[in-house]
Structure formats: structure tokens, C-alpha cells
Short mmCIF file of all heavy atoms in Angstrom, two decimals:
data_model
loop_
_atom_site.label_atom_id
_atom_site.label_comp_id
_atom_site.label_asym_id
_atom_site.label_seq_id
_atom_site.Cartn_x
_atom_site.Cartn_y
_atom_site.Cartn_z
N VAL A 5 4.91 -18.64 -21.25
CA VAL A 5 5.34 -18.22 -19.90
C VAL A 5 4.72 -16.87 -19.57
O VAL A 5 4.90 -15.91 -20.31
CB VAL A 5 6.88 -18.10 -19.82
CG1 VAL A 5 7.28 -17.63 -18.43
CG2 VAL A 5 7.51 -19.44 -20.14
N SER A 6 4.01 -16.83 -18.48
CA SER A 6 3.41 -15.57 -18.06
C SER A 6 4.19 -14.99 -16.89
O SER A 6 4.53 -15.69 -15.94
CB SER A 6 1.96 -15.80 -17.64
OG SER A 6 1.89 -16.68 -16.55
N VAL A 7 4.49 -13.72 -17.00
CA VAL A 7 5.25 -13.06 -15.94
C VAL A 7 4.28 -12.26 -15.07
O VAL A 7 3.61 -11.35 -15.54
CB VAL A 7 6.30 -12.11 -16.53
CG1 VAL A 7 7.05 -11.39 -15.40
CG2 VAL A 7 7.28 -12.90 -17.39
N ALA A 8 4.22 -12.61 -13.80
CA ALA A 8 3.35 -11.89 -12.88
C ALA A 8 3.94 -10.51 -12.59
O ALA A 8 5.16 -10.38 -12.46
CB ALA A 8 3.19 -12.67 -11.59
N THR A 9 3.06 -9.55 -12.49
CA THR A 9 3.53 -8.20 -12.19
C THR A 9 2.87 -7.67 -10.93
O THR A 9 1.76 -8.06 -10.57
CB THR A 9 3.24 -7.25 -13.35
OG1 THR A 9 1.84 -7.29 -13.64
CG2 THR A 9 4.02 -7.64 -14.59
N CYS A 10 3.56 -6.78 -10.29
CA CYS A 10 3.08 -6.16 -9.06
C CYS A 10 1.81 -5.35 -9.34
O CYS A 10 1.81 -4.50 -10.23
CB CYS A 10 4.18 -5.26 -8.50
SG CYS A 10 3.67 -4.34 -7.05
N PRO A 11 0.72 -5.61 -8.59
CA PRO A 11 -0.52 -4.86 -8.79
C PRO A 11 -0.42 -3.41 -8.34
O PRO A 11 -1.28 -2.59 -8.65
CB PRO A 11 -1.54 -5.64 -7.94
CG PRO A 11 -0.71 -6.31 -6.89
CD PRO A 11 0.61 -6.62 -7.55
N ILE A 12 0.63 -3.09 -7.63
CA ILE A 12 0.81 -1.73 -7.12
C ILE A 12 1.54 -0.86 -8.13
O ILE A 12 1.11 0.23 -8.49
CB ILE A 12 1.57 -1.73 -5.79
CG1 ILE A 12 0.84 -2.59 -4.76
CG2 ILE A 12 1.77 -0.30 -5.28
CD1 ILE A 12 -0.58 -2.11 -4.47
N CYS A 13 2.69 -1.34 -8.60
CA CYS A 13 3.51 -0.50 -9.46
C CYS A 13 3.77 -1.13 -10.84
O CYS A 13 4.30 -0.46 -11.72
CB CYS A 13 4.84 -0.20 -8.78
SG CYS A 13 5.91 -1.64 -8.60
N GLY A 14 3.39 -2.40 -11.01
CA GLY A 14 3.50 -3.01 -12.31
C GLY A 14 4.86 -3.63 -12.63
O GLY A 14 5.07 -4.16 -13.71
N LYS A 15 5.76 -3.60 -11.65
CA LYS A 15 7.06 -4.23 -11.86
C LYS A 15 6.93 -5.74 -11.71
O LYS A 15 5.98 -6.23 -11.10
CB LYS A 15 8.07 -3.70 -10.83
CG LYS A 15 8.42 -2.25 -11.04
CD LYS A 15 9.42 -1.80 -9.97
CE LYS A 15 9.77 -0.33 -10.15
NZ LYS A 15 10.73 0.13 -9.11
N PRO A 16 7.89 -6.49 -12.26
CA PRO A 16 7.86 -7.95 -12.12
C PRO A 16 7.83 -8.38 -10.67
O PRO A 16 8.50 -7.80 -9.82
CB PRO A 16 9.18 -8.39 -12.79
CG PRO A 16 9.48 -7.30 -13.76
CD PRO A 16 9.00 -6.04 -13.11
N THR A 17 6.99 -9.38 -10.40
CA THR A 17 6.84 -9.86 -9.03
C THR A 17 8.10 -10.53 -8.52
O THR A 17 8.75 -11.27 -9.24
CB THR A 17 5.67 -10.85 -8.97
OG1 THR A 17 4.46 -10.16 -9.26
CG2 THR A 17 5.56 -11.49 -7.62
N ASP A 18 8.40 -10.27 -7.26
CA ASP A 18 9.51 -10.96 -6.60
C ASP A 18 8.94 -12.14 -5.83
O ASP A 18 7.98 -12.00 -5.09
CB ASP A 18 10.21 -10.00 -5.65
CG ASP A 18 11.50 -10.59 -5.09
OD1 ASP A 18 11.45 -11.73 -4.56
OD2 ASP A 18 12.55 -9.94 -5.19
N ALA A 19 9.53 -13.31 -6.00
CA ALA A 19 9.02 -14.52 -5.37
C ALA A 19 8.88 -14.37 -3.86
O ALA A 19 8.02 -14.97 -3.23
CB ALA A 19 9.93 -15.69 -5.69
N LYS A 20 9.74 -13.56 -3.28
CA LYS A 20 9.73 -13.38 -1.83
C LYS A 20 8.56 -12.52 -1.36
O LYS A 20 8.19 -12.55 -0.20
CB LYS A 20 11.05 -12.74 -1.36
CG LYS A 20 12.23 -13.66 -1.55
CD LYS A 20 13.50 -13.06 -0.95
CE LYS A 20 13.88 -11.75 -1.63
NZ LYS A 20 15.14 -11.21 -1.08
N PHE A 21 8.00 -11.74 -2.29
CA PHE A 21 6.95 -10.79 -1.90
C PHE A 21 5.68 -10.96 -2.70
O PHE A 21 4.87 -10.05 -2.78
CB PHE A 21 7.47 -9.36 -2.04
CG PHE A 21 8.72 -9.10 -1.23
CD1 PHE A 21 9.95 -8.96 -1.85
CD2 PHE A 21 8.65 -9.00 0.15
CE1 PHE A 21 11.09 -8.71 -1.13
CE2 PHE A 21 9.80 -8.75 0.89
CZ PHE A 21 11.02 -8.61 0.25
N ARG A 22 5.54 -12.14 -3.34
CA ARG A 22 4.35 -12.39 -4.15
C ARG A 22 3.08 -11.99 -3.41
O ARG A 22 2.97 -12.26 -2.22
CB ARG A 22 4.27 -13.88 -4.51
CG ARG A 22 5.33 -14.29 -5.49
CD ARG A 22 5.37 -15.79 -5.64
NE ARG A 22 4.11 -16.30 -6.17
CZ ARG A 22 3.77 -17.59 -6.19
NH1 ARG A 22 4.58 -18.50 -5.71
NH2 ARG A 22 2.62 -17.95 -6.67
N PRO A 23 2.08 -11.41 -4.13
CA PRO A 23 2.15 -11.12 -5.57
C PRO A 23 2.76 -9.75 -5.86
O PRO A 23 2.54 -9.20 -6.93
CB PRO A 23 0.66 -11.15 -5.95
CG PRO A 23 -0.01 -10.55 -4.75
CD PRO A 23 0.79 -11.06 -3.55
N PHE A 24 3.52 -9.23 -4.92
CA PHE A 24 4.09 -7.89 -5.10
C PHE A 24 5.56 -7.97 -5.49
O PHE A 24 6.16 -9.05 -5.49
CB PHE A 24 3.92 -7.09 -3.82
CG PHE A 24 2.50 -7.08 -3.33
CD1 PHE A 24 2.12 -7.90 -2.28
CD2 PHE A 24 1.55 -6.30 -3.95
CE1 PHE A 24 0.80 -7.92 -1.85
CE2 PHE A 24 0.23 -6.32 -3.53
CZ PHE A 24 -0.15 -7.13 -2.48
N CYS A 25 6.15 -6.82 -5.77
CA CYS A 25 7.55 -6.79 -6.19
C CYS A 25 8.47 -6.52 -5.01
O CYS A 25 9.67 -6.72 -5.09
CB CYS A 25 7.74 -5.72 -7.26
SG CYS A 25 7.63 -4.04 -6.62
N SER A 26 7.89 -6.03 -3.93
CA SER A 26 8.71 -5.67 -2.78
C SER A 26 7.86 -5.58 -1.52
O SER A 26 6.62 -5.52 -1.59
CB SER A 26 9.38 -4.32 -3.02
OG SER A 26 8.40 -3.31 -3.07
N ALA A 27 8.51 -5.55 -0.38
CA ALA A 27 7.79 -5.43 0.88
C ALA A 27 7.03 -4.11 0.94
O ALA A 27 5.97 -4.00 1.53
CB ALA A 27 8.76 -5.53 2.05
N ARG A 28 7.60 -3.11 0.29
CA ARG A 28 6.97 -1.79 0.31
C ARG A 28 5.61 -1.83 -0.39
O ARG A 28 4.63 -1.30 0.11
CB ARG A 28 7.88 -0.77 -0.36
CG ARG A 28 7.32 0.64 -0.26
CD ARG A 28 8.26 1.63 -0.92
NE ARG A 28 7.76 2.99 -0.75
CZ ARG A 28 6.79 3.53 -1.48
NH1 ARG A 28 6.21 2.82 -2.42
NH2 ARG A 28 6.40 4.76 -1.26
N CYS A 29 5.58 -2.45 -1.57
CA CYS A 29 4.33 -2.52 -2.30
C CYS A 29 3.31 -3.40 -1.55
O CYS A 29 2.13 -3.11 -1.55
CB CYS A 29 4.56 -3.05 -3.71
SG CYS A 29 5.23 -1.79 -4.82
N ALA A 30 3.79 -4.45 -0.90
CA ALA A 30 2.89 -5.29 -0.11
C ALA A 30 2.28 -4.46 1.01
O ALA A 30 1.10 -4.57 1.33
CB ALA A 30 3.66 -6.47 0.46
N ASP A 31 3.09 -3.60 1.61
CA ASP A 31 2.61 -2.76 2.69
C ASP A 31 1.63 -1.71 2.18
O ASP A 31 0.64 -1.39 2.83
CB ASP A 31 3.80 -2.06 3.35
CG ASP A 31 3.38 -1.32 4.60
OD1 ASP A 31 2.91 -1.98 5.54
OD2 ASP A 31 3.51 -0.08 4.64
N VAL A 32 1.90 -1.19 1.00
CA VAL A 32 1.01 -0.23 0.38
C VAL A 32 -0.37 -0.85 0.16
O VAL A 32 -1.39 -0.25 0.45
CB VAL A 32 1.58 0.28 -0.95
CG1 VAL A 32 0.52 1.07 -1.73
CG2 VAL A 32 2.80 1.15 -0.71
N ASP A 33 -0.36 -2.08 -0.34
CA ASP A 33 -1.62 -2.76 -0.61
C ASP A 33 -2.38 -3.01 0.69
O ASP A 33 -3.59 -2.77 0.77
CB ASP A 33 -1.34 -4.08 -1.32
CG ASP A 33 -2.63 -4.78 -1.71
OD1 ASP A 33 -3.26 -4.32 -2.67
OD2 ASP A 33 -3.01 -5.75 -1.05
N LEU A 34 -1.66 -3.44 1.71
CA LEU A 34 -2.28 -3.69 3.00
C LEU A 34 -2.88 -2.41 3.56
O LEU A 34 -4.00 -2.38 4.07
CB LEU A 34 -1.24 -4.25 3.97
CG LEU A 34 -1.74 -4.50 5.40
CD1 LEU A 34 -2.86 -5.53 5.42
CD2 LEU A 34 -0.60 -4.95 6.30
N HIS A 35 -2.13 -1.33 3.43
CA HIS A 35 -2.58 -0.04 3.95
C HIS A 35 -3.86 0.40 3.25
O HIS A 35 -4.76 0.95 3.86
CB HIS A 35 -1.47 0.99 3.74
CG HIS A 35 -1.73 2.29 4.45
ND1 HIS A 35 -1.64 2.40 5.83
CD2 HIS A 35 -2.08 3.50 3.99
CE1 HIS A 35 -1.93 3.65 6.16
NE2 HIS A 35 -2.19 4.34 5.07
N ARG A 36 -3.92 0.15 1.95
CA ARG A 36 -5.12 0.51 1.19
C ARG A 36 -6.33 -0.25 1.70
O ARG A 36 -7.41 0.29 1.83
CB ARG A 36 -4.90 0.21 -0.29
CG ARG A 36 -3.98 1.21 -0.95
CD ARG A 36 -3.88 0.91 -2.41
NE ARG A 36 -3.02 1.87 -3.10
CZ ARG A 36 -2.82 1.87 -4.41
NH1 ARG A 36 -3.41 0.95 -5.16
NH2 ARG A 36 -2.06 2.76 -4.97
N TRP A 37 -6.10 -1.53 1.96
CA TRP A 37 -7.22 -2.34 2.47
C TRP A 37 -7.68 -1.82 3.82
O TRP A 37 -8.87 -1.71 4.09
CB TRP A 37 -6.79 -3.81 2.60
CG TRP A 37 -6.93 -4.57 1.32
CD1 TRP A 37 -5.92 -4.96 0.48
CD2 TRP A 37 -8.15 -5.02 0.71
NE1 TRP A 37 -6.46 -5.62 -0.59
CE2 TRP A 37 -7.80 -5.68 -0.49
CE3 TRP A 37 -9.49 -4.93 1.07
CZ2 TRP A 37 -8.75 -6.25 -1.34
CZ3 TRP A 37 -10.45 -5.49 0.23
CH2 TRP A 37 -10.08 -6.15 -0.94
N LEU A 38 -6.74 -1.52 4.69
CA LEU A 38 -7.08 -1.09 6.04
C LEU A 38 -7.79 0.25 6.05
O LEU A 38 -8.63 0.51 6.91
CB LEU A 38 -5.80 -1.00 6.88
CG LEU A 38 -5.12 -2.34 7.15
CD1 LEU A 38 -3.82 -2.12 7.92
CD2 LEU A 38 -6.03 -3.27 7.94
N THR A 39 -7.47 1.10 5.12
CA THR A 39 -8.04 2.44 5.10
C THR A 39 -9.15 2.59 4.08
O THR A 39 -9.78 3.63 3.99
CB THR A 39 -6.95 3.48 4.80
OG1 THR A 39 -6.37 3.20 3.53
CG2 THR A 39 -5.88 3.46 5.87
N GLY A 40 -9.39 1.55 3.28
CA GLY A 40 -10.41 1.63 2.24
C GLY A 40 -10.00 2.59 1.14
O GLY A 40 -10.83 3.17 0.46
N GLY A 41 -8.69 2.76 0.99
CA GLY A 41 -8.16 3.74 0.04
C GLY A 41 -8.35 3.37 -1.41
O GLY A 41 -7.96 4.13 -2.29
N TYR A 42 -8.93 2.20 -1.69
CA TYR A 42 -9.12 1.80 -3.07
C TYR A 42 -10.07 2.74 -3.81
O TYR A 42 -10.08 2.78 -5.02
CB TYR A 42 -9.66 0.38 -3.14
CG TYR A 42 -8.55 -0.65 -3.06
CD1 TYR A 42 -8.56 -1.61 -2.04
CD2 TYR A 42 -7.52 -0.68 -3.98
CE1 TYR A 42 -7.57 -2.55 -1.95
CE2 TYR A 42 -6.52 -1.62 -3.89
CZ TYR A 42 -6.54 -2.55 -2.89
OH TYR A 42 -5.55 -3.47 -2.81
N SER A 43 -10.85 3.50 -3.07
CA SER A 43 -11.79 4.41 -3.70
C SER A 43 -11.12 5.73 -4.06
O SER A 43 -11.68 6.57 -4.74
CB SER A 43 -12.98 4.67 -2.77
OG SER A 43 -12.53 5.26 -1.56
N ILE A 44 -9.89 5.90 -3.58
CA ILE A 44 -9.18 7.14 -3.83
C ILE A 44 -8.24 6.97 -5.02
O ILE A 44 -7.48 6.02 -5.08
CB ILE A 44 -8.35 7.56 -2.60
CG1 ILE A 44 -9.28 7.73 -1.40
CG2 ILE A 44 -7.60 8.86 -2.88
CD1 ILE A 44 -8.54 8.02 -0.11
N ALA A 45 -8.30 7.89 -5.95
CA ALA A 45 -7.43 7.83 -7.12
C ALA A 45 -6.70 9.15 -7.27
O ALA A 45 -7.29 10.22 -7.27
CB ALA A 45 -8.24 7.53 -8.37
N GLY A 46 -5.40 9.09 -7.40
CA GLY A 46 -4.63 10.30 -7.61
C GLY A 46 -4.37 11.09 -6.35
O GLY A 46 -3.82 12.17 -6.40
N GLU A 47 -4.76 10.52 -5.22
CA GLU A 47 -4.52 11.20 -3.96
C GLU A 47 -3.33 10.58 -3.25
O GLU A 47 -3.03 9.41 -3.41
CB GLU A 47 -5.75 11.10 -3.05
CG GLU A 47 -6.91 11.97 -3.52
CD GLU A 47 -6.62 13.44 -3.28
OE1 GLU A 47 -5.96 13.75 -2.28
OE2 GLU A 47 -7.05 14.26 -4.10
N ASP A 48 -2.67 11.35 -2.42
CA ASP A 48 -1.59 10.82 -1.60
C ASP A 48 -2.19 10.05 -0.43
O ASP A 48 -2.78 10.63 0.46
CB ASP A 48 -0.72 11.97 -1.08
CG ASP A 48 0.49 11.44 -0.30
OD1 ASP A 48 0.54 10.23 -0.01
OD2 ASP A 48 1.36 12.24 0.01
N GLU A 49 -2.06 8.74 -0.49
CA GLU A 49 -2.71 7.90 0.52
C GLU A 49 -2.20 8.16 1.93
O GLU A 49 -2.90 7.97 2.90
CB GLU A 49 -2.51 6.43 0.15
CG GLU A 49 -3.35 6.05 -1.06
CD GLU A 49 -2.59 5.09 -1.96
OE1 GLU A 49 -1.76 4.35 -1.46
OE2 GLU A 49 -2.83 5.13 -3.18
N GLU A 50 -0.97 8.63 2.03
CA GLU A 50 -0.41 8.89 3.36
C GLU A 50 -1.10 10.08 4.02
O GLU A 50 -1.11 10.22 5.22
CB GLU A 50 1.09 9.17 3.25
CG GLU A 50 1.88 7.99 2.72
CD GLU A 50 1.78 6.77 3.63
OE1 GLU A 50 1.69 6.96 4.85
OE2 GLU A 50 1.77 5.65 3.12
N GLU A 51 -1.70 10.94 3.20
CA GLU A 51 -2.34 12.14 3.74
C GLU A 51 -3.86 12.07 3.61
O GLU A 51 -4.56 13.04 3.79
CB GLU A 51 -1.85 13.39 2.99
CG GLU A 51 -0.33 13.55 3.06
CD GLU A 51 0.14 13.80 4.49
OE1 GLU A 51 -0.64 14.33 5.28
OE2 GLU A 51 1.30 13.46 4.79
N GLY A 52 -4.38 10.90 3.29
CA GLY A 52 -5.81 10.73 3.06
C GLY A 52 -6.64 11.08 4.28
O GLY A 52 -6.22 10.88 5.41
N GLU A 53 -7.83 11.60 4.02
CA GLU A 53 -8.71 11.98 5.12
C GLU A 53 -9.43 10.78 5.71
O GLU A 53 -10.07 10.88 6.74
CB GLU A 53 -9.75 12.98 4.60
CG GLU A 53 -9.12 14.30 4.16
CD GLU A 53 -10.19 15.25 3.67
OE1 GLU A 53 -11.02 15.65 4.47
OE2 GLU A 53 -10.19 15.57 2.46
N GLY A 54 -9.35 9.66 5.03
CA GLY A 54 -10.06 8.47 5.47
C GLY A 54 -9.36 7.73 6.60
O GLY A 54 -9.82 6.71 7.06
N ARG A 55 -8.26 8.28 7.06
CA ARG A 55 -7.51 7.59 8.11
C ARG A 55 -8.24 7.66 9.44
O ARG A 55 -8.76 8.70 9.83
CB ARG A 55 -6.12 8.20 8.26
CG ARG A 55 -5.26 7.98 7.03
CD ARG A 55 -3.86 8.45 7.24
NE ARG A 55 -3.19 7.63 8.25
CZ ARG A 55 -1.90 7.78 8.57
NH1 ARG A 55 -1.18 8.69 7.97
NH2 ARG A 55 -1.35 7.03 9.47
N VAL A 56 -8.28 6.54 10.12
CA VAL A 56 -8.92 6.50 11.43
C VAL A 56 -7.95 5.84 12.41
O VAL A 56 -8.19 4.79 12.94
CB VAL A 56 -10.24 5.73 11.39
CG1 VAL A 56 -11.32 6.59 10.75
CG2 VAL A 56 -10.08 4.41 10.65
N SER A 57 -6.81 6.50 12.60
CA SER A 57 -5.79 5.94 13.49
C SER A 57 -5.34 7.00 14.49
O SER A 57 -4.29 7.60 14.34
CB SER A 57 -4.60 5.46 12.67
OG SER A 57 -5.01 4.55 11.69
N PRO A 58 -6.16 7.29 15.50
CA PRO A 58 -5.82 8.34 16.48
C PRO A 58 -4.55 8.03 17.24
O PRO A 58 -3.90 8.92 17.78
CB PRO A 58 -7.02 8.34 17.43
CG PRO A 58 -7.65 6.98 17.26
CD PRO A 58 -7.39 6.61 15.82
N ASN A 59 -4.16 6.77 17.25
CA ASN A 59 -2.95 6.38 17.97
C ASN A 59 -1.73 6.31 17.07
O ASN A 59 -0.67 5.91 17.51
CB ASN A 59 -3.17 5.02 18.64
CG ASN A 59 -4.25 5.09 19.71
OD1 ASN A 59 -4.40 6.11 20.37
ND2 ASN A 59 -4.99 4.03 19.87
N ASP A 60 -1.93 6.71 15.82
CA ASP A 60 -0.80 6.63 14.89
C ASP A 60 0.28 7.64 15.26
O ASP A 60 0.02 8.83 15.32
CB ASP A 60 -1.33 6.93 13.47
CG ASP A 60 -0.29 6.58 12.42
OD1 ASP A 60 0.91 6.74 12.70
OD2 ASP A 60 -0.69 6.15 11.33
N PRO A 61 1.47 7.17 15.55
CA PRO A 61 2.56 8.06 15.97
C PRO A 61 2.94 9.07 14.90
O PRO A 61 3.48 10.13 15.20
CB PRO A 61 3.73 7.10 16.25
CG PRO A 61 3.39 5.85 15.49
CD PRO A 61 1.89 5.78 15.49
N ASP A 62 2.61 8.77 13.65
CA ASP A 62 2.93 9.68 12.57
C ASP A 62 2.07 10.94 12.63
O ASP A 62 2.39 11.95 12.01
CB ASP A 62 2.69 9.00 11.22
CG ASP A 62 3.73 7.90 10.98
OD1 ASP A 62 4.78 7.94 11.64
OD2 ASP A 62 3.47 7.03 10.16
N GLU A 63 0.98 10.87 13.36
CA GLU A 63 0.07 12.01 13.43
C GLU A 63 0.53 13.03 14.47
O GLU A 63 0.09 14.15 14.47
CB GLU A 63 -1.34 11.53 13.75
CG GLU A 63 -1.93 10.64 12.66
CD GLU A 63 -2.11 11.41 11.36
OE1 GLU A 63 -2.64 12.52 11.39
OE2 GLU A 63 -1.70 10.88 10.32
N THR A 64 1.38 12.61 15.36
CA THR A 64 1.80 13.51 16.42
C THR A 64 2.84 14.51 15.93
O THR A 64 3.63 14.21 15.05
CB THR A 64 2.39 12.71 17.60
OG1 THR A 64 3.49 11.96 17.14
CG2 THR A 64 1.36 11.79 18.20
N VAL A 65 2.81 15.69 16.55
CA VAL A 65 3.75 16.73 16.17
C VAL A 65 4.71 16.98 17.32
O VAL A 65 5.76 16.54 17.38
CB VAL A 65 3.03 18.07 15.92
CG1 VAL A 65 4.06 19.14 15.57
CG2 VAL A 65 1.98 17.92 14.86
ZN1 LIG B 4 5.58 -2.97 -6.75
#
């Protein structure tokens, strides 16, 4: 029996969020794809310079 693990955090996969363990990790993976963040290691992806979302509400002060 092989237990699938989340590629983001390594926890056991949840059937509802395969291949991830949670919606959060699924979102993290999606975000990485959208921003090309796979090339970044050890950086806070939320603050990455590679973001190209001028309409992102999180950027507004
Ligand atoms: Zn996870």
C-alpha cells in the first residue's frame, strides 16, 4: 500500500484535495504555477518580485 503525500508540505493526501492535503496547498501549487515561483527556493512566495498582478487587491494600501 502506497500512501500519497502532498507535494507542497508532505502530509498525507486528502481524497477531497488530491494530490494535495488541503485546499490551501492546492492553492499554493496553483499560485506557483501562475507566478513561475518554482524557480524560487526559500523565498516568501507571497512577497516574490515575480508577481505580475497590477490588479491584485492585496497590493493596494
Ligand atoms: Zn499540504
Side-chain angles (χ1 to χ4, degrees):
V5 179
S6 62
V7 178
T9 56
C10 175
I12 303 300
C13 68
K15 292 180 181 179
T17 294
D18 188 308
K20 293 186 298 183
F21 303 107
R22 290 171 62 192
F24 308 102
C25 72
S26 66
R28 185 179 184 281
C29 282
D31 188 63
V32 169
D33 184 75
L34 177 62
H35 190 72
R36 286 184 179 184
W37 275 106
L38 293 176
T39 60
Y42 276 121
S43 61
I44 302 175
E47 288 287 326
D48 184 349
E49 288 142 29
E50 297 298 327
E51 302 295 333
E53 295 180 65
R55 294 186 66 176
V56 284
S57 304
N59 295 327
D60 192 326
D62 291 340
E63 296 295 313
T64 59
V65 178

